[in-house]
Amino acid sequence: MGNVTRVTIWNEYRHEKVHDRVREVYPDGLHAAIAAGLTDGFEVRIATLDEPEHGLTEEVLNGTDVLIWWGHMAHGEVSDEIVNRVYQRVLHGMGLVVLHSGHFSKIFKKLMGTSCDLKWREAREKERLWVVAPGHPIAEGIGEFIELAEEEMYGEHFDIPQPDELVFVSWFEGGEVFRSGCCYTRGQGKIFYFRPGHETHPTYYNEQIRRVIANAAKWAAPSTRPYPKYGHVPVPLETIKPKD
Amino acid sequence: MGNVTRVTIWNEYRHEKVHDRVREVYPDGLHAAIAAGLTDGFEVRIATLDEPEHGLTEEVLNGTDVLIWWGHMAHGEVSDEIVNRVYQRVLHGMGLVVLHSGHFSKIFKKLMGTSCDLKWREAREKERLWVVAPGHPIAEGIGEFIELAEEEMYGEHFDIPQPDELVFVSWFEGGEVFRSGCCYTRGQGKIFYFRPGHETHPTYYNEQIRRVIANAAKWAAPSTRPYPKYGHVPVPLETIKPKD
Amino acid sequence: MGNVTRVTIWNEYRHEKVHDRVREVYPDGLHAAIAAGLTDGFEVRIATLDEPEHGLTEEVLNGTDVLIWWGHMAHGEVSDEIVNRVYQRVLHGMGLVVLHSGHFSKIFKKLMGTSCDLKWREAREKERLWVVAPGHPIAEGIGEFIELAEEEMYGEHFDIPQPDELVFVSWFEGGEVFRSGCCYTRGQGKIFYFRPGHETHPTYYNEQIRRVIANAAKWAAPSTRPYPKYGHVPVPLETIKPKD
Amino acid sequence: MGNVTRVTIWNEYRHEKVHDRVREVYPDGLHAAIAAGLTDGFEVRIATLDEPEHGLTEEVLNGTDVLIWWGHMAHGEVSDEIVNRVYQRVLHGMGLVVLHSGHFSKIFKKLMGTSCDLKWREAREKERLWVVAPGHPIAEGIGEFIELAEEEMYGEHFDIPQPDELVFVSWFEGGEVFRSGCCYTRGQGKIFYFRPGHETHPTYYNEQIRRVIANAAKWAAPSTRPYPKYGHVPVPLETIKPKD
């Protein structure tokens, strides 16, 4: 991977076109605010749903170390072919950082093997993300918690496999909790789900949130290693004794 | 679930019809040998690929606590509709015990979110399954290891998510190792993958192998608990302060 | 283990003697309220700090399937010899359910390998324990959450190893969260830490809390299996080729 | 931590002084061979048992990002005071890489909370370490397996807590398997146990073994983050409603 991590930010980029409130908060798109946080040691590219192949051509993906995914109202419009392409790249080592409503994206559900369902409420309530894995590289530079004055609520039960590592747990003003920062490995690829970022709140301008996403992108960058060999290996490494 | 665990053994049941060697080892089908090991506290039913709906009707699945799955040469013939039906039942609590070549079944790959690929070799070699989780209920009554005089080899890397609990690791005569007993949870359902059981070897007559499968069926039996509520919860549990 | 689980409840039993408020809530001791919840399939015994050997003789421990531990103001008075005896029994398969302030007991810290430190506050605040592992046997019969009108707050970071399975996460009125139900294995023994139960609140009369403790005691009961053999095994299972 | 990882290699350094065979293989001490593999981005210091404070003064430990530990015949001579000092440093973020017979060191047993016992045999047998976590940074640059022509055997059951991540599983010529590369977190510190390295075999000259140790030292380097605050937090973050 070298010293520079090549990140592609995939944004559905629909809310910003049709909802005034979202355009007001993110005039250049959610992706622009996310990209602005990736300043040090990243090479950033943008891809969006309405581009040909959703902007995720073979060439783009092969040149991507870590894919960041934000989607919501148009999960169903993402073609299965592109989902499979991203899936294969993850198994071959590409990192994937799934943000907020991306919990219901085809690619996240396919990689998790569960419904990825949850509770939700839009009530401009306070969220406090507590660090529960203080030595984890994704929590580097983060205080005891991150406080967001207003966010959409996501509540348990969150139908995901038990995370390999749980980094954040959210407290919500309305009475719920949520596993907000979850690490997984699938094949050679590392996956981080990070909860915050509803499209009507300025969450992606928050410096601590940006730091988490940058940390996650570094953490998820692939190791340099050939893809494992699978299939038939007729010749054993050791002599097998003839049986009767 | 009560005191009796209702098990459905799903067997592809094709090798037994077309390969003499398999019919010789399992004259009544692999399912019969597996069923013979579930003697104490089980109610056993059989379902096979060539029955209508592969024998897995809504009624059958709703009356199943734990589904045991053996498939190999005809994974592709299992209809997606039935796979989705089984998948939903697992998320709602039905246990699933996947045997041997079932690693490549549609249902296992869908629940794992990975390729489930591995190395393999048919060379009548010795396998020794070591217990690495000695307090786990699936290892109850099992010695330090189970030795099988002849089995097909499955070797690492096995492309699965890291197991929630790893119970067995296999040593193979030809030089490979394999994570042979792997526990997962998906939704409310518990899943156990168990490696041994190639169709040309009398593995399912082995008392220790039978004990593991019986233990796994008991472990995977569902807890009594309503399915979680998901979706919109407009009314918070606590008062949310009006913002600005 | 048979059908009956033999539980020993160890209670420090000091607060009840010196604090009026505690005696008022638990006139017969915290242990009596805990014992009253273990009605079905349990054989219950009580042991307390001020008995000879703290009530935990070799004989008592050898006849115990699961030890429940409540301690607080006198952790330092528990003798290292008894701690080591309990420790050995856990490694050999005895289950251990550690309640509330037991997080700072010698035995829990020894088994965890960490400081087991946390944040705390006594402010009569509301606690809501959310189930995050809906298929886990310890959550059987429990609703989406357990609500306690008044409890002591314990807050993250809780300095424990990442749990093998996380079953409950608490929301606190004052703004904190906590990993409140944590499963571990050490040797052949299963361990469950369960947060609630400050001595001035009637928590152990709550039916849902009692259900969790009963479930945990069933879950932690040992499997029947000889202790593994360790040490020198001069004779290999397979022939080792002479080297040059 | 910056770009350079400050490693202290702690070697018991006794076998080399009393056993001709060991001195022959490691004339400058095991530590010298281990140090020779840490060439790129490391600042390496050596500490040994017979130095004052075993070479692990407060100053040395405070200037150490990652401590590598090799010990065997004199575990009992390591003072409890120094063990506690190392323990505190790990909880505060220092990485720890425990090699081979260090499984029985006081510091490793204290951090694991188990006996850390295992089976062993010295029979000059072949070991093959298979990578089971192909995307893990500790496996970077490593092939499908590492083969060692002659090593001491360590066999399961290995009495450790289930690893947070399992990276290597060993196959032994004599018929055993072993979980050979195990990741843990304790407090803010990351721990890696790596099996190979018996004092009579030239294992630490093997380039792949050296690569694993270097990868592990990079992986275990601490994140920059203040130590969490623990203890009494009388003032809540949110208003707590007065009860009755």
Side-chain angles (χ1 to χ4, degrees):
Chain A
M1 121 193 102
N3 290 319
V4 167
T5 303
R6 299 168 302 167
V7 170
T8 299
I9 301 172
W10 190 89
N11 183 15
E12 187 182 277
Y13 202 25
R14 285 280 179 86
H15 284 286
E16 297 94 325
K17 293 172 183 163
V18 296
H19 296 125
D20 290 349
R21 170 63 189 153
V22 180
R23 195 165 43 238
E24 200 182 309
V25 181
Y26 296 107
D28 302 316
L30 281 147
H31 52 271
I34 295 165
L38 298 168
T39 49
D40 204 16
F42 296 100
E43 193 181 295
V44 179
R45 193 195 305 242
I46 308 296
T48 58
L49 178 64
D50 292 327
E51 294 173 67
E53 305 184 45
H54 311 322
L56 299 173
T57 61
E58 293 276 5
E59 198 193 342
V60 165
L61 286 177
N62 289 338
T64 298
D65 294 319
V66 178
L67 180 65
I68 297 179
W69 192 277
W70 197 101
H72 183 217
M73 61 188 279
H75 290 316
E77 293 182 45
V78 179
S79 88
D80 290 342
E81 190 192 335
I82 303 301
V83 171
N84 285 328
R85 190 184 286 169
V86 172
Y87 175 74
Q88 289 301 328
R89 274 289 294 145
V90 171
L91 296 187
H92 283 71
M94 183 182 71
L96 181 68
V97 177
V98 174
L99 297 175
H100 190 62
S101 42
H103 76 91
F104 251 0
S105 61
K106 289 181 178 178
I107 182 62
F108 189 61
K109 291 195 288 187
K110 186 175 176 68
L111 286 161
M112 293 296 103
T114 57
S115 74
C116 299
D117 213 340
L118 46 74
K119 291 194 184 67
W120 60 275
R121 176 175 58 235
E122 294 185 49
R124 304 180 60 192
E125 67 195 274
K126 192 189 288 185
E127 174 178 13
R128 189 177 289 113
L129 296 103
W130 287 91
V131 174
V132 299
H136 200 283
I138 292 181
E140 178 149 356
I142 304 300
E144 293 203 298
F145 56 79
I146 302 172
E147 195 172 301
L148 299 169
E150 302 186 23
E151 252 293 353
E152 184 183 5
M153 183 281 291
Y154 278 6
E156 294 284 348
H157 173 245
F158 182 19
D159 185 23
I160 46 170
Q162 171 163 301
D164 289 345
E165 298 166 308
L166 179 64
V167 183
F168 296 99
V169 171
S170 286
W171 177 98
F172 284 98
E173 195 180 350
E176 283 88 359
V177 297
F178 197 73
R179 288 169 293 168
S180 280
C182 301
C183 300
Y184 296 94
T185 296
R186 291 290 181 270
Q188 296 204 116
K190 291 188 264 304
I191 300 166
F192 184 63
Y193 174 79
F194 190 45
R195 199 214 75 83
H198 191 58
E199 65 273 10
T200 60
H201 299 299
T203 299
Y204 295 125
Y205 297 104
N206 179 296
E207 285 306 320
Q208 294 268 288
I209 296 295
R210 285 179 166 182
R211 179 67 191 268
V212 171
I213 296 171
N215 287 345
K218 280 177 193 157
W219 169 84
S223 301
T224 307
R225 202 160 169 277
Y227 192 64
K229 290 170 218 149
Y230 296 108
H232 195 197
V233 283
V235 182
L237 296 156
E238 305 289 331
T239 308
I240 295 171
K241 283 177 212 143
K243 306 295 184 301
D244 53 83
Chain B
M1 121 193 103
N3 289 321
V4 168
T5 304
R6 299 166 303 167
V7 170
T8 299
I9 301 172
W10 189 87
N11 183 15
E12 187 182 277
Y13 202 25
R14 287 279 179 84
H15 284 285
E16 297 92 326
K17 294 172 185 164
V18 296
H19 297 125
D20 290 349
R21 168 66 188 151
V22 179
R23 194 168 41 239
E24 198 182 309
V25 181
Y26 295 108
D28 302 316
L30 281 147
H31 52 269
I34 295 166
L38 298 169
T39 47
D40 204 15
F42 297 99
E43 193 181 294
V44 179
R45 193 195 304 243
I46 308 294
T48 56
L49 178 65
D50 292 326
E51 295 173 66
E53 305 184 44
H54 312 322
L56 299 173
T57 62
E58 292 276 6
E59 199 193 340
V60 166
L61 286 177
N62 289 338
T64 297
D65 293 320
V66 178
L67 180 64
I68 297 179
W69 192 277
W70 197 101
H72 183 216
M73 62 187 281
H75 290 316
E77 293 182 44
V78 179
S79 89
D80 291 340
E81 190 192 334
I82 303 301
V83 171
N84 285 328
R85 190 183 286 169
V86 172
Y87 175 74
Q88 288 302 329
R89 274 289 294 146
V90 171
L91 296 188
H92 284 72
M94 184 182 72
L96 180 68
V97 176
V98 175
L99 297 174
H100 190 61
S101 43
H103 75 90
F104 252 180
S105 63
K106 288 182 180 179
I107 183 61
F108 190 60
K109 291 194 288 186
K110 186 175 176 69
L111 286 161
M112 293 296 104
T114 56
S115 74
C116 300
D117 213 341
L118 47 74
K119 291 194 183 66
W120 61 274
R121 176 176 58 235
E122 294 184 50
R124 304 181 58 195
E125 66 195 275
K126 192 189 291 185
E127 174 178 13
R128 189 178 289 113
L129 296 102
W130 288 91
V131 175
V132 298
H136 200 284
I138 293 181
E140 179 148 354
I142 303 300
E144 293 204 295
F145 56 79
I146 303 171
E147 196 171 298
L148 300 170
E150 302 186 25
E151 254 291 353
E152 183 184 7
M153 184 282 291
Y154 279 5
E156 296 281 349
H157 175 244
F158 183 18
D159 185 23
I160 46 171
Q162 171 163 299
D164 289 345
E165 298 166 308
L166 179 64
V167 183
F168 295 99
V169 171
S170 285
W171 176 97
F172 283 99
E173 195 180 351
E176 283 87 359
V177 297
F178 197 73
R179 289 169 292 170
S180 280
C182 300
C183 299
Y184 296 93
T185 297
R186 291 291 181 269
Q188 295 205 120
K190 292 189 264 305
I191 301 166
F192 184 64
Y193 174 78
F194 191 45
R195 198 213 76 82
H198 191 59
E199 66 271 10
T200 59
H201 300 299
T203 299
Y204 296 123
Y205 298 104
N206 179 296
E207 286 306 320
Q208 294 268 287
I209 296 295
R210 285 179 166 184
R211 179 68 192 266
V212 170
I213 295 171
N215 287 345
K218 280 178 194 156
W219 168 84
S223 300
T224 307
R225 202 161 169 277
Y227 192 64
K229 289 170 219 149
Y230 296 108
H232 195 197
V233 284
V235 182
L237 296 157
E238 304 289 330
T239 308
I240 295 172
K241 284 176 211 145
K243 305 296 185 301
D244 53 82
Chain C
M1 121 192 103
N3 289 320
V4 167
T5 304
R6 300 167 301 167
V7 170
T8 298
I9 301 173
W10 190 88
N11 182 16
E12 186 182 279
Y13 203 25
R14 287 278 180 86
H15 284 286
E16 298 93 326
K17 295 173 184 163
V18 295
H19 296 124
D20 290 348
R21 169 64 189 152
V22 180
R23 194 166 42 238
E24 198 182 309
V25 181
Y26 295 106
D28 302 316
L30 280 148
H31 52 269
I34 295 166
L38 297 169
T39 48
D40 205 15
F42 297 99
E43 194 181 295
V44 179
R45 192 195 304 242
I46 308 295
T48 57
L49 178 65
D50 292 326
E51 294 172 67
E53 305 185 45
H54 311 323
L56 299 174
T57 61
E58 293 276 4
E59 198 192 341
V60 167
L61 286 177
N62 289 339
T64 298
D65 293 319
V66 178
L67 179 64
I68 297 178
W69 192 277
W70 197 101
H72 183 216
M73 61 187 280
H75 289 317
E77 293 181 45
V78 179
S79 87
D80 290 341
E81 188 192 335
I82 303 301
V83 171
N84 285 328
R85 190 185 288 168
V86 172
Y87 175 74
Q88 289 301 330
R89 273 289 294 144
V90 171
L91 296 188
H92 283 72
M94 183 182 71
L96 180 67
V97 177
V98 175
L99 296 175
H100 189 63
S101 42
H103 76 90
F104 252 0
S105 61
K106 288 181 179 179
I107 182 62
F108 190 61
K109 291 194 287 186
K110 186 175 175 69
L111 285 161
M112 293 296 104
T114 56
S115 75
C116 300
D117 213 340
L118 45 76
K119 290 194 184 68
W120 61 274
R121 177 175 59 235
E122 294 185 49
R124 305 180 58 193
E125 66 195 276
K126 191 188 290 183
E127 175 178 14
R128 190 178 287 113
L129 296 103
W130 288 90
V131 174
V132 299
H136 200 283
I138 293 181
E140 179 148 353
I142 304 300
E144 294 203 295
F145 55 80
I146 302 172
E147 195 172 300
L148 300 170
E150 301 185 25
E151 252 292 352
E152 183 184 7
M153 183 281 291
Y154 277 6
E156 296 282 347
H157 177 244
F158 184 19
D159 185 23
I160 46 171
Q162 171 164 300
D164 289 346
E165 297 166 308
L166 178 64
V167 183
F168 296 99
V169 172
S170 286
W171 176 99
F172 284 98
E173 196 180 352
E176 283 87 359
V177 298
F178 197 73
R179 288 169 292 169
S180 280
C182 301
C183 300
Y184 296 93
T185 297
R186 291 291 180 271
Q188 295 204 116
K190 291 189 265 305
I191 301 165
F192 184 63
Y193 174 78
F194 190 45
R195 197 213 77 82
H198 191 59
E199 65 272 12
T200 60
H201 300 300
T203 299
Y204 296 123
Y205 297 104
N206 180 295
E207 285 306 319
Q208 294 270 287
I209 295 296
R210 285 178 166 184
R211 179 69 192 267
V212 171
I213 295 171
N215 287 345
K218 280 178 195 157
W219 169 84
S223 300
T224 307
R225 204 164 168 276
Y227 192 63
K229 289 170 220 149
Y230 296 108
H232 195 198
V233 283
V235 181
L237 297 156
E238 305 289 330
T239 309
I240 295 172
K241 283 176 214 147
K243 306 295 185 300
D244 52 82
Chain D
M1 119 195 102
N3 290 318
V4 167
T5 304
R6 299 168 302 168
V7 170
T8 299
I9 301 172
W10 190 88
N11 183 16
E12 186 181 280
Y13 203 25
R14 286 279 179 85
H15 283 286
E16 298 95 324
K17 294 172 183 163
V18 296
H19 297 124
D20 290 349
R21 169 64 189 152
V22 180
R23 194 166 43 239
E24 196 182 312
V25 182
Y26 295 107
D28 302 314
L30 281 147
H31 52 271
I34 295 166
L38 298 169
T39 49
D40 204 16
F42 296 100
E43 194 180 294
V44 179
R45 194 195 305 242
I46 307 296
T48 57
L49 178 65
D50 291 327
E51 294 173 68
E53 306 184 43
H54 312 321
L56 298 174
T57 62
E58 292 276 5
E59 198 192 343
V60 165
L61 285 177
N62 288 338
T64 298
D65 293 320
V66 178
L67 179 65
I68 297 178
W69 193 276
W70 198 101
H72 183 217
M73 62 186 279
H75 289 316
E77 294 182 43
V78 179
S79 88
D80 290 341
E81 189 192 336
I82 302 300
V83 170
N84 284 328
R85 190 184 288 168
V86 172
Y87 175 74
Q88 289 301 330
R89 274 289 294 145
V90 170
L91 296 187
H92 283 71
M94 184 181 72
L96 181 68
V97 176
V98 175
L99 297 175
H100 190 62
S101 42
H103 76 91
F104 251 1
S105 63
K106 289 182 178 178
I107 183 62
F108 190 61
K109 292 195 287 186
K110 185 174 176 68
L111 287 161
M112 293 296 102
T114 56
S115 75
C116 300
D117 213 340
L118 46 75
K119 291 193 184 68
W120 61 275
R121 176 175 58 235
E122 294 184 50
R124 303 181 62 194
E125 67 196 275
K126 191 189 290 185
E127 175 178 13
R128 189 178 288 113
L129 297 102
W130 287 91
V131 174
V132 299
H136 200 283
I138 293 179
E140 180 148 354
I142 304 301
E144 294 204 295
F145 56 79
I146 302 172
E147 196 172 300
L148 300 169
E150 302 185 24
E151 252 293 352
E152 183 183 7
M153 184 282 290
Y154 278 6
E156 295 282 351
H157 175 244
F158 184 19
D159 185 23
I160 46 170
Q162 172 164 299
D164 290 345
E165 297 167 309
L166 179 63
V167 183
F168 295 100
V169 171
S170 285
W171 177 99
F172 284 98
E173 195 180 352
E176 284 87 359
V177 298
F178 197 73
R179 289 169 291 169
S180 280
C182 300
C183 300
Y184 297 94
T185 297
R186 291 291 181 269
Q188 295 205 115
K190 292 189 264 305
I191 301 165
F192 184 64
Y193 174 78
F194 191 45
R195 199 214 74 83
H198 191 59
E199 66 272 10
T200 60
H201 300 299
T203 299
Y204 296 123
Y205 298 104
N206 179 296
E207 285 306 319
Q208 294 270 285
I209 296 295
R210 286 178 165 184
R211 179 68 192 266
V212 170
I213 295 171
N215 287 346
K218 280 178 194 156
W219 168 84
S223 300
T224 308
R225 203 163 169 275
Y227 192 63
K229 289 169 219 151
Y230 296 107
H232 195 198
V233 284
V235 182
L237 297 157
E238 306 289 330
T239 308
I240 295 172
K241 283 178 213 143
K243 303 296 185 299
D244 55 80

